[in-house]
């Protein structure tokens, strides 16, 4: 799942390389912008771990006048975004609900404009899912685009953020501090946060793919000091540095990635008051 460009590119536009080479060389996706991501990591593997009633349980007070707002960072071509939307609203394949967009709105962002364009064209719920091209690590652009979306609902933060297999790409392209900053931004933007961290073996595999294709290694790979058990490292950063607490782990996918749900301590305190 793509989320951010590193220094090697000049901006978002350069991510829009011709699609044919990316199909021929699927390993050449140094920002996670694989053209057919869901073919080898199908959404169903995550959905089977997540209770369909999760959002209604987390936000029992939400109603038609106050929809649940979600942020999906690194949405790729939108397959998982759509699947999450249908899952949490209990919609079957081919089923639409005229009232669904009143319950849940998702802002889905990815750095790759080709993938975002595909997501927009294929989305069956255009009134409820908004897809934008965004380098999440670009502070100015991030603030403008996210604030614009939130202001439509009179809100300043999202109810829940989804960060599915994105942390490694941020880490490899922006280093230890970049990962720390990325998690800081998410924790300040979302009351709840669902994170699927890639394990360290995925870092090694990503670096190996680039080398096999004769491409430059990731700038930060060899200098990373945050390594090893990445799920534990991310739990530590979010809970000790960014004021969140781990609510639960929903288990592991078949490709050995855990789904971790966090919430801000303010959210806990307000729900208990």
């Amino acid at each position: 799942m793509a989320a951010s460009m590193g220094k090697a590119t000049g901006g978002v536009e350069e991510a829009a390389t011709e699609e044919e080479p990316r199909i021929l060389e699927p390993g050449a996706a140094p920002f996670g912008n694989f053209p057919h991501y869901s073919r080898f990591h199908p959404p169903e593997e995550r959905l089977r771990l997540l209770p369909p009633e999760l959002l209604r349980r987390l936000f029992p007070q939400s109603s038609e006048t106050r929809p649940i707002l979600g942020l999906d960072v690194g949405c790729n071509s939108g397959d998982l975004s759509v699947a999450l939307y249908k899952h949490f609203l209990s919609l079957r394949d081919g089923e639409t609900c005229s009232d669904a967009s009143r319950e849940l709105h998702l802002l889905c962002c990815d750095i790759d404009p080709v993938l975002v364009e595909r997501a927009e064209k294929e989305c069956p719920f255009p009134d409820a899912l908004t897809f934008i091209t965004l380098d999440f690590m670009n502070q100015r652009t991030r603030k403008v685009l996210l604030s614009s979306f939130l202001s439509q609902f009179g809100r300043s933060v999202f109810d829940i953020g989804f960060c599915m297999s994105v942390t490694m790409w941020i880490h490899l392209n922006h280093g230890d501090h970049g990962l720390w900053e990325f998690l800081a931004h998410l924790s300040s933007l979302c009351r709840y946060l669902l994170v699927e961290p890639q394990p360290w073996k995925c870092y090694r595999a990503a670096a190996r793919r680039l080398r096999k294709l004769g491409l430059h290694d990731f700038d930060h790979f060899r200098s990373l000091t945050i390594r090893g058990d990445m799920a534990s490292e991310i739990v530590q950063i979010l809970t000790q540095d960014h004021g969140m607490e781990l609510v639960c782990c929903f288990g592991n996918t078949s490709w050995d990635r855990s789904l971790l749900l966090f919430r801000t301590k303010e959210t806990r305190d307000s729900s208990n008051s």
Side-chain angles (χ1 to χ4, degrees), residues 27 30-31 51 53 65 68-69 101 107 131 142 148-149 167 220 244-245 267 269 272:
F31 312 108
E53 69 278 6
T65 58
I68 298 167
L69 299 186
S101 63
L107 177 63
F131 292 93
R142 180 183 69 243
S148 175
F149 179 84
T167 51
H220 299 277
M244 301 198 89
E245 61 182 8
T267 299
D269 295 340
N272 291 336

Side-chain angles (χ1 to χ4, degrees), residues 2-70:
S4 175
M5 307 281 276
K7 295 179 181 177
T9 66
V12 170
E13 293 80 1
E14 294 185 42
T17 55
E18 294 182 5
E19 189 155 348
E20 187 65 20
R22 291 193 299 166
I23 294 175
L24 295 174
E25 301 285 5
F31 312 108
N33 51 324
F34 297 100
H36 298 291
Y37 180 84
S38 62
R39 291 184 183 177
F40 50 95
H41 285 156
E44 293 75 22
E45 265 299 302
R46 280 91 166 218
L47 300 184
R48 70 177 179 83
L49 299 173
L50 298 171
E53 69 278 6
L54 176 64
L55 296 190
R56 293 188 176 97
R57 193 189 306 164
L58 296 179
F59 311 106
Q61 305 303 319
S62 292
S63 66
E64 293 183 0
T65 58
R66 186 178 172 82
I68 298 167
L69 299 186

Side-chain angles (χ1 to χ4, degrees), residues 19 35-36 77 113-123:
E19 189 155 348
H36 298 291
S77 57
V114 174
L115 295 176
V116 170
E117 182 181 6
R118 184 188 305 166
E120 289 179 315
K121 288 181 178 178
E122 299 178 358
C123 179

Side-chain angles (χ1 to χ4, degrees), residues 11 17 22-23 67 86 89 91-92 103 105 125-126 131 138 181 206-207 219 252 259 262:
T17 55
R22 291 193 299 166
I23 294 175
K86 291 168 60 178
L89 293 180
L91 299 176
R92 294 183 294 272
E103 297 181 50
H105 284 266
F125 308 104
F131 292 93
N138 183 316
E181 281 194 331
D219 289 342
N252 285 27
L259 292 181
F262 300 85

Side-chain angles (χ1 to χ4, degrees), residues 15-242:
T17 55
E18 294 182 5
E19 189 155 348
E20 187 65 20
R22 291 193 299 166
I23 294 175
L24 295 174
E25 301 285 5
F31 312 108
N33 51 324
F34 297 100
H36 298 291
Y37 180 84
S38 62
R39 291 184 183 177
F40 50 95
H41 285 156
E44 293 75 22
E45 265 299 302
R46 280 91 166 218
L47 300 184
R48 70 177 179 83
L49 299 173
L50 298 171
E53 69 278 6
L54 176 64
L55 296 190
R56 293 188 176 97
R57 193 189 306 164
L58 296 179
F59 311 106
Q61 305 303 319
S62 292
S63 66
E64 293 183 0
T65 58
R66 186 178 172 82
I68 298 167
L69 299 186
L71 173 66
D72 185 9
V73 179
C75 65
N76 198 266
S77 57
D79 293 337
L80 180 57
S81 311
V82 171
L84 286 169
Y85 182 81
K86 291 168 60 178
H87 183 68
F88 289 133
L89 293 180
S90 300
L91 299 176
R92 294 183 294 272
D93 287 342
E95 181 183 6
T96 61
C97 178
S98 58
D99 294 330
S101 63
R102 300 179 186 177
E103 297 181 50
L104 174 63
H105 284 266
L106 297 180
L107 177 63
C108 312
C109 61
D110 197 277
I111 195 166
D112 192 323
V114 174
L115 295 176
V116 170
E117 182 181 6
R118 184 188 305 166
E120 289 179 315
K121 288 181 178 178
E122 299 178 358
C123 179
F125 308 104
D127 293 335
L129 279 73
T130 302
F131 292 93
I132 61 171
T133 303
L134 171 65
D135 178 351
F136 196 83
M137 297 300 282
N138 183 316
Q139 181 175 353
R140 181 182 302 177
T141 307
R142 180 183 69 243
K143 184 175 181 179
V144 169
L145 293 179
L146 300 192
S147 296
S148 175
F149 179 84
L150 288 168
S151 67
Q152 297 176 43
F153 303 92
R155 312 275 277 278
S156 59
V157 296
F158 292 88
D159 293 303
I160 188 166
F162 301 97
C163 179
M164 314 296 276
S165 289
V166 172
T167 51
M168 177 183 74
W169 304 109
I170 296 292
H171 201 188
L172 286 171
N173 287 288
H174 294 271
D176 289 334
H177 187 66
L179 176 64
W180 191 93
E181 281 194 331
F182 173 70
L183 296 173
H185 298 321
L186 283 178
S187 64
S188 68
L189 285 166
C190 306
R191 296 169 58 198
Y192 284 85
L193 183 59
L194 184 67
V195 184
E196 180 193 47
Q198 291 103 319
W200 186 253
K201 65 181 180 181
C202 294
Y203 285 64
R204 295 196 299 266
R208 187 165 56 249
R209 283 196 301 268
L210 285 191
R211 289 194 297 270
K212 287 180 66 174
L213 292 170
L215 301 176
H216 292 296
D217 205 349
F218 294 101
D219 289 342
H220 299 277
F221 177 59
R222 299 186 186 281
S223 63
L224 297 178
T225 59
I226 300 174
R227 54 175 61 214
D229 185 346
M230 293 308 301
S232 295
E233 294 286 349
I234 286 170
V235 168
Q236 181 173 327
I237 293 171
L238 283 170
T239 57
Q240 296 188 12
D241 298 341
H242 299 323

